[in-house]
Amino acid sequence: MKNWEYEELSGVVKRTLIRIMEEGVAYRDAFGSTSYEFESVYLEGKIENAIVNLSLAEIAIENGVIFSRYIPLIREAFDSINKELLRESLKHYDILDFIARRDRAILGMDKIEIYD
């Protein structure tokens, strides 16, 4: 990862959504705006894309709602990551954290409400 540290990127996604919601924007719109704000980060690389999508998945799980159009994007981002890419991009403890968070997110997305 060239421009970001693992924890930094995870945290900034969540802080961005909170900031937008504190401005009075509804969760649904804040979620979309947060995703849009990180569009350029998605393009930086597969790892960055997966971390942003992981953070969005965790936000959705915390709020108990995920929007149907994001499910395939999140799953695709997760599926694009392999062990070699993880080893090349992240520190060992970040790899373990990412895998654990990703696995919780995959299970969690199946248990929350899906909105169109």
Side-chain angles (χ1 to χ4, degrees), residues 19-82:
R19 177 185 49 80
I20 293 170
M21 288 182 67
E22 286 175 347
E23 294 171 358
V25 177
Y27 168 70
R28 180 182 197 131
D29 295 329
F31 193 93
S33 293
T34 301
S35 177
Y36 181 75
E37 282 198 32
F38 286 90
E39 192 169 328
S40 64
V41 178
Y42 293 139
L43 303 175
E44 287 181 25
K46 290 180 179 181
I47 291 289
E48 291 86 350
N49 184 15
I51 293 169
V52 170
N53 275 288
L54 174 58
S55 297
L56 291 171
E58 290 173 332
I59 290 166
I61 292 164
E62 289 168 11
N63 284 278
V65 175
I66 192 160
F67 305 101
S68 60
R69 69 186 182 116
Y70 289 100
I71 295 171
L73 299 173
I74 291 169
R75 291 190 189 275
E76 182 180 306
F78 292 168
D79 291 345
S80 72
I81 302 300
N82 60 42

